[in-house]
Amino acid sequence: RGGRGRGRGGNTREPMRRNFGPNGHDYNVCTEAGPISSDMAEPTIHNKVAERLVAKMNRDFEAADRIQLELAEEGVFINDRTKEWRADGVRFVDPSEGRRAPADR
């Protein structure tokens, strides 16, 4: 019967959270990024990146994708492979980094 000790029945799982430090996430500003050109304030960027990370950890990929799109619309881009973000309006060279090519699937 086992399980992980989270009780019985239904999906009563609480959202997964970890302490990722003062910014709430473990992404760093890209070393190649220029000055922030987004209208989004840096604390708001950190909050959105942290919110997206929690969504990913909870396997809520729809919410994570929605947040990433919101950030991109504001000129903030995330590279999950290198755990970096930039808000200078410049996209990462390969937005599909970390994904396998169709031939590799």
Side-chain angles (χ1 to χ4, degrees), residues 2-80:
R4 296 201 173 240
R6 293 199 180 259
R8 292 183 170 198
N11 186 3
T12 58
R13 195 170 64 170
E14 292 182 27
M16 183 184 293
R17 287 202 173 267
R18 283 185 26 202
N19 182 2
F20 285 104
N23 293 325
H25 60 82
D26 57 348
Y27 286 69
N28 295 307
V29 176
C30 176
T31 57
E32 298 172 1
I36 292 177
S37 63
S38 174
D39 289 336
M40 189 176 281
E42 189 168 349
T44 303
I45 294 169
H46 286 298
N47 288 338
K48 288 288 188 182
V49 173
E51 182 182 342
R52 179 175 175 270
L53 178 61
V54 169
K56 285 177 56 177
M57 290 171 59
N58 288 312
R59 304 190 59 77
D60 186 353
F61 300 115
E62 185 177 317
D65 289 348
R66 185 180 64 249
I67 295 164
Q68 185 167 6
L69 182 60
E70 289 172 17
L71 288 165
E73 288 173 351
E74 294 291 331
V76 180
F77 301 100
I78 297 173
N79 185 325
D80 288 317

Side-chain angles (χ1 to χ4, degrees), residues 75-96:
V76 180
F77 301 100
I78 297 173
N79 185 325
D80 288 317
R81 186 173 186 194
T82 60
K83 298 283 235 178
E84 293 179 314
W85 65 272
R86 64 189 307 159
D88 58 357
V90 177
R91 294 181 186 273
F92 286 95
V93 175
D94 182 5
S96 66

